[in-house]
């Protein structure tokens, strides 16, 4: 990052006033009557209605369009455990994206908790305020325990975006990349470098959609996760295979897919050369990928390449998923975001990449043309159709699986 860009980032967050979000009034508050209706004595009327019927809270308050973005700051971006206060710019940024892309009101909450259980208790006690909870930047393995407990305790959708948002966008891109490579998910040999929250969620979702667990080789800092290891967490043990592969070099030999959720420059050109024909490389470490696209293409002319960066084609970016997934879930008042809803989002996102690209997208990216292919396997973030197709797919899946409390809204598709 250049010094100019670093200063621009600081200025962006400081001016014209500190931060990226604010609270605005949604109704009139100008006259004495307005104030009497907004607060005492008028506010007593919705209070009485909600006391009689808890669902009335959705009629008389902002709950139904309000998502909390909550973190303990234990895994901030690629920066590590810097604490809850340092996570606030990221959480505000997430709230900005909710509003910008799906018109969802969002507030960031940074929790200074001494243990996972304290974090769980804190979030569970405030959950009634919100229509949904987006967990963010929580380290593994405690993030698994936290999400599981909150899903059980809360009556609203709880979604750890670092896990499932990453998985949904990765799976959508993977389906399209495999199609272009002439390969099938159920037959593909997949290497996953990294064994944290995002990696586990990505592989679980791919398995749910047809990948074979015996064809997946996951690696942590100690090498391939295999059935002979005795140092595995339950999350890692789910991917332990009977294999004599031990190193990354072993794993990538003849592999069809490499998914990197680890660190910079960890996939060497020599290892890329060992992969099968038409290799698919998702090098998603940010800001520096496991292998840079220009080096990958120089090494293999047949590689299909994706990264987490916006300055290269095929960006794997959670903003393609979470705003629209929550939009669909909120609009049918879903009690959870289940596997079927995630899979519906994957398919909707993958299918949209095959549609003709609109002029708004071309203009936003300064392009003359763009179409489904090796350098366009995922829609661009500025594609306004994302809101309609993903929210509708997620809402319908919620209805079909019985977690929706409302029918499909009359104004759908958005």
């Amino acid at each position: 990052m250049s010094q100019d860009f670093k200063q621009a980032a600081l200025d962006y967050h400081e001016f014209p006033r500190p931060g990226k979000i604010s609270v605005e009034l949604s109704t009139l508050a100008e006259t004495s009557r307005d104030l009497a209706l907004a607060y005492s004595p008028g506010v007593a009327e919705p209070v009485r209605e909600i006391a009689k019927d808890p669902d009335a809270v959705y009629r008389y308050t902002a709950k139904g369009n309000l998502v909390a973005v909550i973190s303990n700051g234990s895994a901030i971006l690629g920066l590590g455990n810097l604490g809850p206060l340092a996570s606030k710019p990221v959480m505000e940024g997430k709230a900005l994206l909710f509003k910008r892309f799906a018109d969802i009101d969002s507030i960031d909450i940074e929790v200074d908790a001494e243990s996972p259980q304290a974090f769980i208790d804190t979030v569970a006690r405030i959950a009634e305020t919100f229509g949904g909870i987006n967990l963010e930047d929580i380290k593994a393995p405690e993030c698994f325990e936290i999400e599981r407990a909150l899903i059980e305790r809360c009556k609203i959708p709880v979604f750890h975006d670092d896990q499932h948002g990453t998985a949904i966008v990765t799976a959508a891109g993977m389906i399209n990349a495999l199609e272009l490579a002439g390969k099938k998910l159920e037959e593909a040999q997949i290497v996953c470098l990294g064994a944290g929250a995002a990696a586990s969620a990505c592989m679980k979702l791919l398995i749910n959609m047809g990948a074979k667990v015996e064809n997946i080789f996951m690696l942590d800092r100690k090498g391939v996760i295999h059935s002979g290891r005795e140092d595995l967490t339950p999350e890692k043990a789910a991917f332990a295979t009977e294999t004599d592969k031990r190193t990354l070099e072993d794993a990538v030999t003849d592999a069809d897919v490499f998914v990197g959720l680890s660190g910079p420059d960890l996939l060497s050109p020599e290892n890329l050369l060992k992969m099968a024909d038409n290799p698919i490389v998702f090098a998603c470490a940010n800001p520096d990928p496991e292998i840079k696209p220009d080096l990958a293409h120089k090494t293999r002319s047949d590689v299909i390449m994706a990264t987490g960066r916006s300055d290269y084609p095929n960006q794997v970016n959670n903003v393609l998923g979470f705003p629209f997934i929550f939009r669909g879930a909120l609009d049918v008042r879903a009690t959870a975001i289940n596997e079927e809803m995630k899979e519906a989002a994957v398919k909707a996102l993958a299918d949209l990449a095959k549609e003709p690209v609109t002029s708004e997208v071309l203009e936003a990216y300064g392009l003359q043309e763009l179409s489904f292919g090796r350098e366009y396997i995922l829609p661009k973030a500025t594609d306004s159709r994302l809101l309609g197709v993903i929210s509708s797919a997620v809402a319908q899946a919620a209805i079909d699986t019985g977690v929706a409390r409302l029918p499909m809204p009359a104004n759908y598709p958005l």
Side-chain angles (χ1 to χ4, degrees):
M1 226 184 280
S2 71
Q3 192 60 41
D4 286 348
F5 189 83
K6 290 179 181 179
Q7 188 58 52
L10 292 173
D11 290 345
Y12 178 90
H13 285 78
E14 185 175 3
F15 305 109
R17 66 192 228 188
K20 297 190 289 269
I21 59 174
S22 67
V23 175
E24 297 180 356
L25 301 185
S26 62
T27 190
L28 295 174
E30 303 303 319
T31 67
S32 61
R33 179 175 171 80
D34 293 338
L35 297 177
L37 292 169
Y39 205 59
S40 184
V43 74
E45 297 311 312
V47 169
R48 292 187 180 104
E49 293 300 313
I50 294 166
K52 287 189 296 183
D53 175 14
D55 277 352
V57 71
Y58 290 96
R59 290 186 62 189
Y60 299 118
T61 77
K63 176 181 171 77
N65 195 50
L66 185 61
V67 168
V69 179
I70 307 182
S71 181
N72 63 4
S74 58
I76 305 172
L77 301 174
L79 303 173
N81 186 356
L82 302 181
L85 194 61
S87 77
K88 188 169 178 63
V90 184
M91 301 311 114
E92 284 190 358
K94 201 80 172 193
L96 177 151
L97 296 174
F98 268 115
K99 189 65 177 178
R100 162 64 178 81
F101 289 103
D103 197 25
I104 292 172
D105 295 323
S106 180
I107 191 70
D108 64 295
I109 298 175
E110 293 75 36
V111 179
D112 188 1
E114 66 274 13
S115 66
Q117 189 58 53
F119 183 93
I120 291 164
D121 290 341
T122 299
V123 176
R125 286 175 179 141
I126 64 173
E128 290 278 31
T129 306
F130 306 100
I133 291 173
N134 183 105
L135 299 173
E136 195 80 12
D137 287 0
I138 302 169
K139 69 181 181 181
E142 64 188 48
C143 63
F144 304 116
E145 174 191 352
I146 286 170
E147 187 189 39
R148 278 194 298 266
L150 288 173
I151 287 172
E152 290 178 5
R153 290 179 61 173
C154 300
K155 300 175 184 177
I156 57 175
V158 176
F159 186 80
H160 184 204
D161 189 49
D162 297 319
Q163 290 186 61
H164 311 300
T166 303
I168 287 163
V169 180
T170 298
M174 191 63 63
I175 287 170
N176 283 345
L178 286 165
E179 179 181 327
L180 290 164
K183 302 180 181 185
K184 296 180 180 179
L185 180 60
E186 57 268 25
E187 298 172 356
Q189 181 174 312
I190 301 169
V191 175
C192 181
L193 183 58
S200 294
C202 284
M203 295 305 108
K204 285 178 183 177
L205 186 55
L206 288 175
I207 290 168
N208 288 346
M209 301 196 74
K212 304 298 184 186
V213 66
E214 59 266 26
N215 291 339
I216 294 175
F217 301 98
M218 182 180 283
L219 294 91
D220 61 9
R221 289 181 175 85
K222 297 182 179 179
V224 173
I225 292 172
H226 59 86
S227 55
R229 285 179 53 176
E230 298 180 354
D231 59 341
L232 302 177
T233 64
E235 290 75 23
K236 290 182 181 181
F239 300 101
T241 55
E242 292 277 354
T243 180
D244 58 0
K245 297 178 186 291
R246 294 294 183 267
T247 67
L248 177 59
E249 183 178 3
D250 295 338
V252 299
T253 300
D254 298 324
D256 299 294
V257 173
F258 172 90
V259 177
L261 293 155
S262 49
D265 304 320
L266 294 178
L267 179 65
S268 67
E270 291 77 17
N271 280 337
L272 176 56
L273 285 168
K274 294 179 183 295
M275 294 181 68
D277 291 343
N278 291 310
I280 296 164
V281 174
F282 279 35
C284 296
N286 262 324
D288 299 313
E290 285 78 4
I291 187 169
K292 292 181 174 58
D294 50 355
L295 178 57
H297 288 296
K298 181 180 178 181
T299 304
R300 294 283 299 257
S301 62
D302 60 344
V303 68
I304 299 175
M305 183 80 199
T307 72
R309 291 175 55 145
S310 60
D311 52 349
Y312 294 114
N314 298 330
Q315 184 186 20
V316 179
N317 190 327
N318 289 18
V319 78
L320 295 174
F322 72 85
F324 320 114
I325 293 164
F326 268 96
R327 180 76 279 159
L330 292 175
D331 287 347
V332 294
R333 208 176 295 166
T335 56
I337 296 174
N338 58 29
E339 293 304 312
E340 292 83 357
M341 293 161 74
K342 296 172 195 173
E343 291 178 24
V346 170
K347 292 172 183 175
L349 186 56
D351 288 345
L352 182 57
K354 298 175 184 177
E355 296 293 323
V357 178
T358 60
S359 58
E360 68 171 350
V361 173
L362 295 176
E363 290 171 8
Y365 287 86
L367 300 171
Q368 294 297 314
E369 59 180 353
L370 187 64
S371 60
F372 179 62
R374 287 171 172 261
E375 295 199 341
Y376 181 64
I377 60 174
L378 285 165
K380 299 292 189 182
T382 58
D383 194 327
S384 61
R385 297 172 297 178
L386 287 163
L387 176 60
V389 299
I390 297 179
S391 61
S392 294
V394 169
Q396 188 62 57
I399 293 167
D400 293 342
T401 56
V403 298
R405 299 177 62 205
L406 295 176
M408 185 68 78
N411 64 331
Y412 266 48
L414 297 173

